Amino acid sequence: MRIVDAILAFPALVLAIALAAAFGPSLQNAMLAVAITLAPQFARVARSQALSISVKPYVEAALSLGLPTHRILVRYIFVNGLGPLLVQSAGARQRHPANCQPRLPGAWCPAPLAEWGADVSANLQFVRSAAWVALAPGMAILLAVLSFNLIGDSLADWFNPRRRSELD
């Protein structure tokens, strides 16, 4: 966790840009830089879930029955700690501001690849004659972001036992 704390000491955007520049200009290197930058958030959530689940009575009962450690990890701790990680990966906002959805620009794609934001920017000059040319990628961005936010909120509601009892 000390390595995670060291990575979190740097601003995420600055670290991601520095890593992408150090790795070289390719999509794989940019994805690796973003993964390294965002991994500490997932590591913190996973560690906190594992620590809180490991003291639950059913885990202590499994230990007292003599179940193997790997079975306890997979069957009890991993399965019960997976929900918050799925919510985090969907980008849903958590209560704590440090766990808010990551906001990194998608401007790291190399120039020849298609990008919705670049399509909107390039087609703004045609808004008066053919508005659909700029509106189509803009609506695609809107629908993609909205769907990920709705999926994240649904996962947060589903995996939160207090909210789940209210929904049933």
Side-chain angles (χ1 to χ4, degrees):
M1 288 309 290
R2 298 298 168 237
I3 294 171
V4 169
D5 291 338
I7 293 173
L8 286 173
F10 295 100
L13 184 60
V14 173
L15 181 62
I17 290 172
L19 289 173
F23 293 154
S26 75
L27 183 59
Q28 289 81 13
N29 290 342
M31 291 188 314
L32 180 64
V34 170
I36 290 171
T37 304
L38 297 179
Q41 296 173 358
F42 290 96
R44 281 201 162 189
V45 171
R47 182 174 188 272
S48 68
Q49 286 298 309
L51 289 176
S52 67
I53 292 170
S54 66
V55 296
K56 299 283 185 186
Y58 56 86
V59 174
E60 292 176 359
L63 282 171
S64 66
L65 287 173
L67 290 176
T69 306
H70 64 84
R71 182 166 180 180
I72 294 172
L73 284 173
V74 172
R75 183 164 171 103
Y76 299 105
I77 296 176
F78 175 72
V79 170
N80 291 315
L82 188 61
L85 287 172
L86 290 174
V87 172
Q88 180 78 15
S89 67
R93 295 174 191 262
Q94 304 292 324
R95 290 183 190 164
H96 193 274
N99 292 333
C100 288
Q101 78 183 42
R103 297 183 190 274
L104 291 173
W108 295 341
C109 295
L113 294 179
E115 191 176 324
W116 287 336
D119 288 345
V120 171
S121 177
N123 294 326
L124 280 178
Q125 61 187 348
F126 303 114
V127 168
R128 290 187 191 263
S129 60
W132 65 269
V133 176
L135 289 178
M139 291 302 291
I141 293 170
L142 177 102
L143 290 175
V145 169
L146 181 65
S147 65
F148 274 109
N149 282 335
L150 291 175
I151 289 170
D153 289 343
S154 298
L155 286 173
D157 289 343
W158 179 257
F159 287 114
N160 185 351
R162 291 184 186 119
R163 289 283 299 155
R164 191 170 181 191
S165 64
E166 292 173 6
L167 296 174
D168 290 337

